[in-house]
């Protein structure tokens, strides 16, 4: 059985708008690298030509099927991300792969425009580093039935989950901390994040894989094994985390007040009984 071929490329629409523009400049990234330049330009030219026509006359296509393969497309500003594979692969699998790749770029880099502005002339080299890390993830994270790996605790260790939640809540009580997740062997023990964010962290395995995300510089030395990286989270997720944190603090405050009231009542009843 032949091995499935995966094709991924990023196309810059602004670099090829006139007749005299070189289409080679518009292909800022292409995988696999062993494909000749002539084959790259022929394939990309066909896809972008059909995409331009359909976008102008009808609407932007999500999947294009050629005689030799099938390609999913996702416009990202002036860039177009394309993921292709064999023609016999179901559409839903291809859509899952490109959506996974898009979410990874969105989470760790925001978009290609931001990467381009930060890397300048080294934009293509930067994309090579980014996709060198993310493309292997598609082989196992592109499963449409894939679930978040969780760490199954025995009944005798049920207190571990409570301790993990307590640790997360203690961190969340600190200023600036929105939420977190506790992992063991890259399996979820407890999480305060949404399912999508938790899955992105798990599939990238930041403890073992060196991510190409932007590192946060500090004026102090970090402990061994600790890394600070920049991520981009949707506003709705930030609002949910802030709301959950507020609800948690309100609940804890209410519990403390009730405990204090019960303690005062018990103390008063003891004093009254002693006086009587």
């Amino acid at each position: 059985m032949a091995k499935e071929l995966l094709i991924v490329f990023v196309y810059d629409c602004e670099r090829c708008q006139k007749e005299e523009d070189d289409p080679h400049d518009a292909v800022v990234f292409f995988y696999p690298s062993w494909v000749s330049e002539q084959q790259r330009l022929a394939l990309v030219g066909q896809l972008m030509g059909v995409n331009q026509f359909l976008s102008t006359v009808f609407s932007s296509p999500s999947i294009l099927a050629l005689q030799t393969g099938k390609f999913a497309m996702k416009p990202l500003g002036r860039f177009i991300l394309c993921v292709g594979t064999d023609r016999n692969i179901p559409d839903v699998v291809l859509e899952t792969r490109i959506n996974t790749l898009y979410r990874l770029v969105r989470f760790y880099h925001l978009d290609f425009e931001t990467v381009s502005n930060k890397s300048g002339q080294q934009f293509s080299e930067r994309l090579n580093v980014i996709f060198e890390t993310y493309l292997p993830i598609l082989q196992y994270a592109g499963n449409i039935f894939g679930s978040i790996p969780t760490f199954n605790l025995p009944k005798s260790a049920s207190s571990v989950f409570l301790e993990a939640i307590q640790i997360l809540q203690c961190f969340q009580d600190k200023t600036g901390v929105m939420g977190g997740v506790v992992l063991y062997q890259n399996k979820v023990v407890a999480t305060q994040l949404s399912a999508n964010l938790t899955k992105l962290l798990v599939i990238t395995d930041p403890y073992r894989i060196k991510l190409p995300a932007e590192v946060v510089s500090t004026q102090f030395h970090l402990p061994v094994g600790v890394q600070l990286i920049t991520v981009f989270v949707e506003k709705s997720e930030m609002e949910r985390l802030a709301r959950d944190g507020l609800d948690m603090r309100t609940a804890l405050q209410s519990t403390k007040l009730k405990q204090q009231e019960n303690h005062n009542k018990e103390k008063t009843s003891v004093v009254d009984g002693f006086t009587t």
Side-chain angles (χ1 to χ4, degrees):
M1 184 176 179
K3 185 179 179 181
E4 178 189 350
L5 177 62
L6 178 66
I7 297 177
V8 178
F9 68 84
V10 178
Y11 185 84
D12 187 349
C13 299
E14 291 187 356
R15 294 192 180 186
C16 189
Q17 295 180 329
K18 301 178 182 179
E19 195 71 28
E20 62 271 16
D21 291 338
D22 188 354
H24 175 269
D25 297 335
V27 185
V28 292
F29 172 80
F30 192 96
Y31 174 89
S33 58
W34 51 261
V35 178
S36 66
E37 182 177 342
Q38 183 178 1
Q39 290 176 316
R40 294 184 189 184
L41 296 181
L43 175 62
V44 174
Q46 291 181 61
L47 293 172
M48 293 300 101
V50 174
N51 176 75
Q52 179 65 27
F53 170 77
L54 294 177
S55 300
T56 303
V57 179
F58 302 104
S59 60
S60 299
S62 58
I63 292 182
L64 289 177
L66 303 180
Q67 186 175 4
T68 56
K70 188 181 298 183
F71 299 85
M73 296 185 180
K74 184 175 286 292
L76 303 172
R78 65 186 176 99
F79 298 95
I80 295 179
L81 174 64
C82 183
V83 176
T85 186
D86 299 337
R87 188 178 174 85
N88 60 336
I89 300 299
D91 292 356
V92 65
V93 174
L94 196 56
E95 290 178 346
T96 302
R97 289 177 179 176
I98 195 170
N99 288 332
T100 300
L101 192 56
Y102 165 74
R103 284 195 291 266
L104 287 172
V105 173
R106 182 79 174 171
F107 184 58
Y108 289 110
H109 311 281
L110 185 58
D111 52 33
F112 293 128
E113 187 72 36
T114 302
V115 177
S116 176
N117 293 336
K118 291 182 178 180
S119 55
Q121 297 296 327
Q122 285 74 40
F123 179 47
S124 295
E125 289 77 6
R126 179 61 176 163
L127 288 181
N128 285 329
V129 174
I130 290 174
F131 285 106
E132 183 180 345
T133 303
Y134 297 155
L135 289 184
I137 295 176
L138 295 184
Q139 303 300 325
Y140 59 87
N143 186 358
I144 59 176
F145 298 107
S147 58
I148 301 174
T150 56
F151 189 75
N152 296 322
L153 296 170
K155 293 182 179 180
S156 58
S158 58
S159 60
V160 174
F161 173 76
L162 297 177
E163 291 177 2
I165 287 293
Q166 186 177 14
I167 291 173
L168 291 177
Q169 289 177 344
C170 289
F171 279 118
Q172 197 176 35
D173 200 34
K174 303 294 182 181
T175 303
V177 178
M178 304 297 295
V181 56
V182 176
L183 303 175
Y184 178 74
Q185 295 181 349
N186 207 40
K187 294 182 179 180
V188 178
V189 178
T191 181
Q192 296 171 319
L193 308 179
S194 65
N196 288 332
L197 285 185
T198 302
K199 187 173 183 178
L200 287 176
L201 290 172
V202 171
I203 64 176
T204 50
D205 194 2
Y207 184 74
R208 295 181 179 86
I209 300 176
K210 182 175 177 56
L211 295 173
E214 183 179 353
V215 178
V216 179
S217 59
T218 61
Q219 297 180 351
F220 52 87
H221 294 288
L222 296 174
V224 178
V226 175
Q227 57 177 327
L228 298 177
I229 59 176
T230 302
V231 296
F232 300 89
V233 182
E234 297 290 342
K235 183 179 179 181
S236 58
E237 178 69 14
M238 296 291 291
E239 292 175 347
R240 187 192 69 81
L241 289 172
R243 185 170 58 252
D244 291 348
L246 180 61
D247 293 342
M248 183 270 297
R249 286 188 287 271
T250 302
L252 289 177
Q253 187 66 25
S254 177
T255 302
K256 289 180 180 179
L257 290 175
K258 289 182 179 180
Q259 290 177 346
Q260 186 65 33
E261 290 176 359
N262 293 334
H263 178 71
N264 292 337
K265 288 180 180 179
E266 292 176 358
K267 187 176 181 181
T268 302
S269 62
V270 170
V271 173
D272 291 343
F274 179 77
T275 303
T276 302

